Amino acid sequence: MPALTEWRVPPANQPRASDYAFDLDHALASVVGLHAIIPPDAFSAETLGTERAGNGVVIDDGLVLTIGYLITEAESVWLHVGDGRVVEGHVLGFDAVTGFGLVQALGQLDVAPLPLGVSAETRLGDRVVVGGAGGRTRSVASQIVAKQEFAGYWEYLLDEAIFTHPAHPNWGGTALLNERGELIGIGSLQLERERDGKAEHVNMIVPIDLLKPILDDLRKFGRVNKPARPWLGLFSTEIDNRVVVIGISANGPAARAELKTGDVILAVDGEKVTSQTGFYKKLWGLGAAGVDVPLTVHHEGVTFDVTVTSTDRFKLLKAPKLH
């Protein structure tokens, strides 16, 4: 099993133990490396690759919380502990709504779990640590610079995500720690924003409060035990108050309805949409997965109506290998 690549956060951005009231090294020992292998014929292989590496956080005995895209459809998962050991893991669950993923270690990690904090209590300017596997040299002393809605191009929406700066360079599955050493979020993305005329990188973090209502379901059922949202299998972006299709998932509902890259979504069920957020909320408001979704679409000067039969995206994913 290859070791995860050697690299370090620049010393100026590393957290210093003396700056925090909690035991920084003890807390960061709860962050493990994660390496997943995905079959080439998996639905997500084309977009996310067949080998994925990032981080995970021990939140209970042998239970590792990570960001779901690292482990979606994984046939094998390996957890890299700080002392150099590598322990096999099993994918327990994934939630497409929040983006969280759960892995159960199949051997002893001998790592203390991180306590969960309350992400709603965070404020702009709070000092935080974005913790990666490997301790202080793989972690970033950061600040919360924004708390705001985030709409992702892959039919994903958070009412309030947490954004931190400076950004962690290996952000997937990182642990966001507050000044008490509690886990208040899991790293998802690195984004670029403009500030004072310059581009700066920030991390988008999924708040830990979103995990608490769904954790039991993920452990028991591998997913949230309620009807799934309708999913169309299209990637979109917002340009000049228009929702523009920038990609189509192969074999998804949008592909079967012959939607194309460059299409502009004008309305859902006769209601005009001018933003990604509005598009998603109208789509999800129609009912559960399987509902017919009437769209008004503009393409190359022609406006037309098309009905897309939505699905549950889980139906297209390969089930995790059982051990």
Side-chain angles (χ1 to χ4, degrees), residues 46-70:
E46 188 176 349
T47 50
L48 296 173
T50 57
E51 195 164 344
R52 305 172 197 162
N55 308 275
V57 187
V58 180
I59 60 167
D60 201 348
D61 184 27
L63 185 68
V64 176
L65 178 66
T66 187
I67 199 70
Y69 61 73
L70 292 176

Side-chain angles (χ1 to χ4, degrees), residues 27-41:
L28 291 176
S30 302
V31 187
V32 297
L34 187 149
H35 185 193
I37 305 296
I38 287 80
D41 61 343

Side-chain angles (χ1 to χ4, degrees), residues 5 7 30-31 57 69 90 106 117 139 156 163 181 189 240 249 264:
T5 53
W7 61 277
S30 302
V31 187
V57 187
Y69 61 73
H90 166 64
L106 297 176
S139 301
Y156 179 79
F163 296 85
L189 298 172
D240 298 332
S249 289
V264 178

Side-chain angles (χ1 to χ4, degrees), residues 4 18 64 69 124 231:
L4 298 180
S18 58
V64 176
Y69 61 73
L124 298 189
W231 181 76

Side-chain angles (χ1 to χ4, degrees), residues 131-180:
R136 277 184 270 161
T137 62
R138 301 268 188 104
S139 301
V140 174
S142 196
Q143 272 193 322
I144 294 178
V145 294
K147 292 177 71 177
Q148 63 192 52
E149 182 180 86
F150 174 78
Y153 63 85
W154 60 97
E155 298 181 53
Y156 179 79
L157 179 67
L158 294 180
D159 290 333
E160 187 176 82
I162 298 172
F163 296 85
T164 59
H165 176 80
H168 197 291
N170 184 29
W171 54 88
T174 47
L176 184 66
L177 305 178
N178 64 14
E179 292 206 80
R180 292 192 290 272

Side-chain angles (χ1 to χ4, degrees), residues 260-273:
K260 303 279 190 296
T261 298
D263 286 352
V264 178
I265 309 294
L266 300 178
V268 177
D269 196 22
E271 291 188 51
K272 185 178 176 184
V273 292

